[in-house]
Amino acid sequence: MSIQSTIESKLTSAFSPERLAVINESHLHAGHQEHFDGTGETHFRVRIVSEAFAGMSRVERHRAVNELLAEELKDPVHALAIEPAAPGEPTRW
């Protein structure tokens, strides 16, 4: 299973989101490190809307996602941008 699929599966199981987008942005970071050409699954953006985030602060939401994906963040994921929201909150997507 790909890292992206694993992330999607874990987020779906834990948060039952009404909207979820896991975007591989690795290609946007080509050349940032000497031997990185932008291929693979190293940089992701997670956009998620879930009732589970209602009443949580922005920091609490980020912590919840980071804790859930701790194994992936050890290796091979280098960067994870998180855009969490509760239903009815404004989003940029």
Side-chain angles (χ1 to χ4, degrees), residues 5-82:
S5 295
T6 299
I7 292 171
E8 289 169 349
S9 177
K10 284 186 169 187
L11 291 169
T12 299
S13 293
F15 299 113
S16 300
E18 63 180 49
R19 288 177 65 195
L20 175 64
V22 177
I23 305 156
N24 184 343
E25 295 184 338
S26 301
H27 65 284
L28 299 174
H29 300 273
H32 288 187
Q33 294 175 338
E34 185 178 343
H35 299 290
F36 184 64
D37 63 2
T39 61
E41 295 182 294
T42 57
H43 296 70
F44 288 95
R45 178 170 305 275
V46 169
R47 292 176 171 157
I48 182 170
V49 177
S50 172
E51 183 64 38
F53 296 132
M56 294 174 85
S57 72
R58 189 172 159 190
V59 171
E60 290 170 324
R61 294 170 183 188
H62 280 252
R63 283 184 182 150
V65 172
N66 280 319
E67 288 172 9
L68 180 68
L69 302 177
E71 192 63 34
E72 289 72 26
L73 290 169
K74 285 181 189 174
D75 189 51
V77 176
H78 173 73
L80 181 67
I82 305 168

